[in-house]
Amino acid sequence: ALPEFKRRNPGLTLRIEATHQYADFTASRVDVAIRYGREQSAGLKFEPLVTVKLSPVCTPAVIKAGLKTPEDLSRQVLIHLTTQPKAWPIWLREAGVPHLAPRGHLWLDSVPAMLEAAEQGLGVTLAMSPLIRARPGFGRKLVSPFAFEPSHSETIYLVSRTEQARDRRIAVVRRWIAEAVRRAKGE
């Protein structure tokens, strides 16, 4: 979505920091942030962008090798995001297999690394549905092995300072991100 933003807004400069650290709106020059989940923060405006559910994804070869039900995850390596250590336990509990012991675990510190590991056939990871469907190669390199969808969901928010909420530049970024999310959801 970045090329489209630059084409539409040649006068605006974006500086993007992809980090797991929460943006510090008081100590830095951050104008907007995207947060997974919501923290109570005075002086910040939280605008919901998308509600996501974590769903397993893997290569089609993993499915062909026998991954048919959540119980079959016992023969797989579960790929985890280090900043979300409870994600798999929550999903497994909702799937009815809370005590499942997988063949192994692989812990990675970024979502792109997790998805790449799954694409390389190293195991099964959790991805944000519906956003995962916008990833190039989804449906070919990565697929969802189960029809089961958990009830647990989280919201991704666009965050800005309350006093800047009406700033024209923030509004432009807000619209651009909202459009990109709608396209990723297939709307």
Side-chain angles (χ1 to χ4, degrees):
L2 282 172
E4 179 67 15
F5 179 85
K6 291 308 291 175
R7 188 183 63 72
R8 288 185 183 178
N9 306 285
L12 289 179
T13 301
L14 289 180
R15 180 176 167 215
I16 298 174
E17 294 180 18
T19 176
H20 292 289
Q21 303 297 320
Y22 276 140
D24 185 347
F25 282 87
T26 55
S28 69
R29 294 178 36 192
V30 173
D31 292 312
V32 295
I34 296 175
R35 289 193 181 167
Y36 178 74
R38 182 174 178 162
E39 272 191 10
Q40 297 297 346
S41 298
L44 296 180
K45 180 177 181 177
F46 286 78
E47 300 174 75
L49 287 173
V50 62
T51 299
V52 295
K53 294 182 178 191
L54 294 178
S55 297
V57 293
C58 61
T59 64
V62 170
I63 295 172
K64 286 179 186 171
L67 181 60
K68 305 285 186 238
T69 67
E71 291 82 3
D72 297 331
L73 288 168
S74 64
R75 295 188 305 272
Q76 300 297 322
V77 171
L78 299 186
I79 303 170
H80 302 263
L81 184 62
T82 56
T83 57
Q84 295 180 359
K86 295 180 181 176
W88 268 114
I90 289 170
W91 191 92
L92 292 168
R93 184 174 58 249
E94 286 203 26
V97 288
H99 302 296
L100 182 128
R103 183 173 58 107
H105 299 274
L106 175 61
W107 293 84
L108 297 166
D109 67 352
S110 74
V111 171
M114 265 186 1
L115 295 174
E116 179 70 23
E119 285 176 351
Q120 296 300 318
L122 298 178
V124 181
T125 194
L126 291 172
M128 292 180 186
S129 180
L131 300 180
I132 187 62
R133 291 194 288 266
R135 183 176 175 88
F138 183 76
R140 204 176 71 253
K141 291 182 188 178
L142 285 180
V143 293
S144 297
F146 314 121
F148 168 74
E149 187 168 293
S151 61
H152 180 80
S153 64
E154 290 283 348
T155 301
I156 297 176
Y157 295 91
L158 181 71
V159 185
S160 60
R161 290 180 186 89
T162 305
E163 70 271 8
Q164 286 185 308
R166 295 182 188 263
D167 185 303
R168 180 194 66 79
R169 296 166 302 161
I170 305 265
V172 166
V173 171
R174 180 185 304 116
R175 273 193 307 277
W176 167 65
I177 290 173
E179 286 174 17
V181 167
R182 278 194 299 280
R183 280 194 305 274
K185 289 172 36 180
E187 293 178 358

